[in-house]
Amino acid sequence: MAAYINRTISLMSGDGPHNRPIAPLADTRTTRQMTDNSPLQIFVKAKKKINDIFVEIDDYVKDTVEYMHEIEKQQEIINPEKVKQTEDFVSKVHGIRDVLSRDHMKVAFFGRTSNGKSSVINAMLRDKVLPSGIGHTTNCFLQVEGSPTDEPYLILEGSEDHCAVDSVGQLAHALCKEKLNENQLVRVFWPRNRCLLLRDDVVFVDSPGVDVTPNLDEWIDKYCLDADVFVLVANAESTLMVTEKNFFHKVSTRLSKPNIFILNNRWDASANEPEYLDQVRRQHLDRAVDFLVKELKVCSQKEADERIFFISAKEALQARLAERGQSATTPFTEGFQTRYFEFQDFERKFEECISKSAVKTKFEQHSQRGKLIATQLREILDSIYTDAQISKEDRLKLRKEVHDKINHTETQLMMITQEMKQKIHHMVEDVEQRVSKALNDEIRRLSTLVDEFNVPFHSDSVVLNVYKKQLHSHVEAGLGSNLRARLSTALAMNMEASQREMTERMESIIPDKNKASAALILPRRQPFEILYRLNCDNLCADFHEDLEFRFSWGLTSIIQRFSNGGSGLLTLKNKKENPHNSIVPSTPTDMVDTTRLFYPTSVADDWSLISRIAMLGVSSQGTMGGLLLAGFLFKTVGWRIVVVTGGIYGCLYLYERLTWTNKAKEKAFKKQYVGHATRKLKMIVDLTSANCSHQVQQELSGTFARLCHLVDEATGDMDVQLKKLEHEAATLENAAGRAKVLRNKANYLAHELELFEDAYLKSHH
Ligand code: GDP
């Protein structure tokens, strides 16, 4: 400090005699320097920077909340707690931005009344902002801050009203008029454009003299806790008072290492006794340094040198007003220049100090909180990202499983279909054989069946028709029930086994949840039963009985008997020539038609033709031949033998004629009927067995088709599941991607704050 003073004094020495009033010098700092190089710019720039970062953080937090609301439904990657936590950050960031916008540098002035606090503030503001003078003592707290408006105004504590003030006189008047007590705060809003310090967010607080009140603690709590710099305005004409010291003792208990400047004001008054000047100055300086370093322990010896100044606020203000042409008189005494330099030096040190201190106290915590928010959000997003990735992988795994299952089911289905086709084919062939064998057996035993029919017989044609009809249905029912008795159990068991096998095979490829419906569909069906559809009514409709009496030893009968053997041969031959007989019609209608088609009318016609010719031959030559035969017999055998033979023949005839009763007629009828029916039934053996196997085929194919449908349904379900899984995986992928982007943004913002701290906080430690 001493070196500094010496330097300034030596600088001054070339400026002519010291006793001559010196013309006010222009401020050594140009306006440009003050705006761009002013230490206050550190605060201004830092504030702008951190504000910009918080605008980004604000946007970022809002984006994140929006993102979270979008993915809110995906509960496996997010929970309401996380959403709530993120939403809370919005208001937190708002709060910080709010405080940030109001952040300023605050300097509080203390000292006894009339030491010149108001004068110092006015000098710094380069304008008569606050009233000062003998007649006026500030008896309340006055806070001067910048206002964006062009007109100054003041607001009293506890009121919202803006009281316009045009001049210092008005302000003084206003302050006197209101009965203010020393604890009240009056905020004076001074246009920013009139003062650089105000523009750069410096707020001045002027206090009532520390000597006027005992309520120091209350003051400190109310107005000083957020002050970045304290300025003690002391009177150079006297030593530091206990009350002044006391106040700062209290301040330093509340705040750790407050920044305290000590201004020894009214230094101009000491100029009157230049011989003691240095001595007085040293005394004041030593005491002040002791106070700061030893008593308060707020700074080091070296720092203390930079905190104690000897100035004249009155002169500084006058000089500045003169610069601006607001003051005509410049009654400067000796040493003014030195004191003015020292005042400017104080201003510079003060600006550096308040700017750094404010950046640190105000922005460090914002930066910390910003970093905390970024870190917490990053953690939340990180967990969302990880969970989304895991869930996505799960989905893809499931998707693959379902996909494989579908493929497996399809190949299995193809295989089973092939097998089942074979199986059905075998089954059908087997049934055809069994039915054909059983039917043939039954045909062989047809006479027994017909014999069992014992409705009273009568040869009258009307009665006979009814009898025939009943016989048809008896045979049909009998055959049917016999066939059923022979085949049903075996067939049903076979069918059931096949169906069960089919179902089991199919069930093995149907997923469990579809099995329930499979179980529902199958047993609901009625037990399968083959319909034999013998339809004897139609089949034997052309049956014509022949109940005329015929003598078994008569000529016609003998010829007929002979021809019967021939007719058998004929039928056989005929069958061979008609291979269509073995064709299996697929429907009962076809069957009936075919029966009619192959009804062997031609054979019967052929036969009747032959027999008629034979009969004709016998009857036309009968008389002549008879006579010749009789004569021949009489001659050779002798008449006795002829007579005896004739007698026996006659008896035979008589016997046969007499036994041709109703019973015999019935017997003959049944025999004829059995013969006819056997022929007819033999013709439809192939047809019937084919028909039965067809029914079996229908039944099995039906079952299989239903099972196939179930499998289709199951694969359909799986397809839907596949699509769903794919969609979910895509959504999760998207969510994860965006979480990653947002997480990286959190990193970026934390890094920005880190850079901010490096630039404005760390380097100034
Ligand atoms: P405050 O009560 O602490 O605010 O003191 P003021 O600023 O009102 O000043 C009280 C009186 O001291 C006023 O009349 C000022 O003109 C005068 N005064 C202030 N500073 C100086 C100075 O540096 N030298 C001289 N000679 N008088 C001063």
Short mmCIF file of all heavy atoms in Angstrom, two decimals, residues 39 42-43 105 351-361 760-761 764:
data_model
loop_
_atom_site.label_atom_id
_atom_site.label_comp_id
_atom_site.label_asym_id
_atom_site.label_seq_id
_atom_site.Cartn_x
_atom_site.Cartn_y
_atom_site.Cartn_z
N PRO A 39 -14.20 -5.14 -13.97
CA PRO A 39 -14.29 -6.45 -13.31
C PRO A 39 -15.74 -6.89 -13.12
O PRO A 39 -16.02 -8.08 -13.01
CB PRO A 39 -13.62 -6.22 -11.97
CG PRO A 39 -12.77 -5.03 -12.16
CD PRO A 39 -13.45 -4.17 -13.17
N ILE A 42 -17.22 -9.67 -15.21
CA ILE A 42 -17.11 -11.10 -14.89
C ILE A 42 -18.47 -11.61 -14.43
O ILE A 42 -18.99 -12.61 -14.92
CB ILE A 42 -16.07 -11.34 -13.77
CG1 ILE A 42 -14.69 -10.90 -14.24
CG2 ILE A 42 -16.06 -12.81 -13.36
CD1 ILE A 42 -13.66 -10.90 -13.12
N PHE A 43 -19.04 -10.81 -13.50
CA PHE A 43 -20.36 -11.20 -12.99
C PHE A 43 -21.39 -11.18 -14.11
O PHE A 43 -22.18 -12.12 -14.28
CB PHE A 43 -20.78 -10.25 -11.87
CG PHE A 43 -22.13 -10.55 -11.30
CD1 PHE A 43 -22.29 -11.51 -10.30
CD2 PHE A 43 -23.28 -9.91 -11.78
CE1 PHE A 43 -23.53 -11.79 -9.78
CE2 PHE A 43 -24.52 -10.20 -11.27
CZ PHE A 43 -24.65 -11.13 -10.25
N MET A 105 -25.18 -8.05 -7.43
CA MET A 105 -24.07 -7.89 -6.50
C MET A 105 -24.53 -6.85 -5.48
O MET A 105 -25.06 -5.80 -5.85
CB MET A 105 -22.84 -7.37 -7.25
CG MET A 105 -22.36 -8.36 -8.30
SD MET A 105 -21.09 -7.66 -9.36
CE MET A 105 -22.03 -6.96 -10.68
N GLU A 351 -14.81 -3.38 -7.24
CA GLU A 351 -15.50 -4.06 -8.34
C GLU A 351 -14.99 -5.49 -8.51
O GLU A 351 -15.77 -6.43 -8.68
CB GLU A 351 -15.34 -3.26 -9.64
CG GLU A 351 -16.19 -2.00 -9.65
CD GLU A 351 -16.02 -1.16 -10.91
OE1 GLU A 351 -15.37 -1.65 -11.86
OE2 GLU A 351 -16.53 -0.04 -10.93
N GLU A 352 -13.65 -5.62 -8.47
CA GLU A 352 -13.09 -6.96 -8.61
C GLU A 352 -13.63 -7.87 -7.52
O GLU A 352 -14.08 -8.99 -7.77
CB GLU A 352 -11.57 -6.91 -8.49
CG GLU A 352 -10.88 -6.69 -9.81
CD GLU A 352 -9.39 -6.43 -9.62
OE1 GLU A 352 -8.84 -6.84 -8.57
OE2 GLU A 352 -8.80 -5.82 -10.53
N CYS A 353 -13.56 -7.34 -6.31
CA CYS A 353 -13.94 -8.13 -5.15
C CYS A 353 -15.42 -8.53 -5.20
O CYS A 353 -15.77 -9.70 -5.07
CB CYS A 353 -13.64 -7.34 -3.89
SG CYS A 353 -14.12 -8.21 -2.39
N ILE A 354 -16.27 -7.53 -5.43
CA ILE A 354 -17.72 -7.83 -5.38
C ILE A 354 -18.11 -8.77 -6.51
O ILE A 354 -18.93 -9.68 -6.34
CB ILE A 354 -18.55 -6.52 -5.41
CG1 ILE A 354 -19.98 -6.83 -4.95
CG2 ILE A 354 -18.58 -5.88 -6.78
CD1 ILE A 354 -20.81 -5.59 -4.71
N SER A 355 -17.48 -8.57 -7.68
CA SER A 355 -17.82 -9.38 -8.83
C SER A 355 -17.47 -10.85 -8.58
O SER A 355 -18.30 -11.75 -8.73
CB SER A 355 -17.07 -8.84 -10.05
OG SER A 355 -17.31 -9.62 -11.15
N LYS A 356 -16.22 -11.08 -8.14
CA LYS A 356 -15.80 -12.46 -7.88
C LYS A 356 -16.63 -13.08 -6.76
O LYS A 356 -17.08 -14.22 -6.87
CB LYS A 356 -14.33 -12.49 -7.46
CG LYS A 356 -13.38 -12.34 -8.60
CD LYS A 356 -11.96 -12.31 -8.08
CE LYS A 356 -11.02 -11.72 -9.11
NZ LYS A 356 -9.69 -11.50 -8.52
N SER A 357 -16.80 -12.31 -5.71
CA SER A 357 -17.53 -12.84 -4.57
C SER A 357 -18.97 -13.19 -4.95
O SER A 357 -19.46 -14.27 -4.59
CB SER A 357 -17.51 -11.81 -3.45
OG SER A 357 -18.50 -12.13 -2.50
N ALA A 358 -19.59 -12.28 -5.71
CA ALA A 358 -20.99 -12.54 -6.09
C ALA A 358 -21.09 -13.74 -7.01
O ALA A 358 -21.98 -14.59 -6.85
CB ALA A 358 -21.58 -11.31 -6.75
N VAL A 359 -20.15 -13.84 -7.97
CA VAL A 359 -20.18 -15.00 -8.87
C VAL A 359 -20.12 -16.27 -8.03
O VAL A 359 -20.88 -17.21 -8.24
CB VAL A 359 -19.01 -14.94 -9.87
CG1 VAL A 359 -18.84 -16.30 -10.56
CG2 VAL A 359 -19.26 -13.87 -10.91
N LYS A 360 -19.22 -16.24 -7.07
CA LYS A 360 -19.03 -17.44 -6.28
C LYS A 360 -20.24 -17.74 -5.40
O LYS A 360 -20.81 -18.83 -5.46
CB LYS A 360 -17.78 -17.27 -5.41
CG LYS A 360 -17.32 -18.57 -4.85
CD LYS A 360 -15.89 -18.50 -4.39
CE LYS A 360 -15.58 -19.67 -3.49
NZ LYS A 360 -16.06 -20.95 -4.01
N THR A 361 -20.64 -16.74 -4.61
CA THR A 361 -21.73 -17.02 -3.68
C THR A 361 -23.05 -17.29 -4.40
O THR A 361 -23.83 -18.12 -3.98
CB THR A 361 -21.95 -15.88 -2.69
OG1 THR A 361 -22.14 -14.67 -3.42
CG2 THR A 361 -20.79 -15.73 -1.74
N TYR A 760 -15.36 -19.49 -14.34
CA TYR A 760 -15.74 -18.40 -13.44
C TYR A 760 -15.52 -18.69 -11.97
O TYR A 760 -15.47 -17.77 -11.17
CB TYR A 760 -17.20 -18.02 -13.66
CG TYR A 760 -17.44 -17.42 -15.00
CD1 TYR A 760 -18.00 -18.18 -16.02
CD2 TYR A 760 -17.10 -16.09 -15.27
CE1 TYR A 760 -18.20 -17.64 -17.28
CE2 TYR A 760 -17.29 -15.55 -16.51
CZ TYR A 760 -17.85 -16.32 -17.53
OH TYR A 760 -18.05 -15.78 -18.74
N LEU A 761 -15.42 -19.93 -11.59
CA LEU A 761 -15.31 -20.20 -10.16
C LEU A 761 -13.94 -20.72 -9.76
O LEU A 761 -13.30 -20.17 -8.88
CB LEU A 761 -16.40 -21.20 -9.75
CG LEU A 761 -17.83 -20.73 -10.03
CD1 LEU A 761 -18.81 -21.86 -9.86
CD2 LEU A 761 -18.20 -19.58 -9.11
N HIS A 764 -10.68 -18.50 -9.75
CA HIS A 764 -10.62 -17.34 -8.86
C HIS A 764 -10.41 -17.70 -7.41
O HIS A 764 -10.51 -16.87 -6.54
CB HIS A 764 -11.92 -16.53 -9.00
CG HIS A 764 -12.10 -16.06 -10.41
ND1 HIS A 764 -11.26 -15.17 -11.00
CD2 HIS A 764 -13.01 -16.41 -11.35
CE1 HIS A 764 -11.65 -14.97 -12.26
NE2 HIS A 764 -12.70 -15.72 -12.48
#
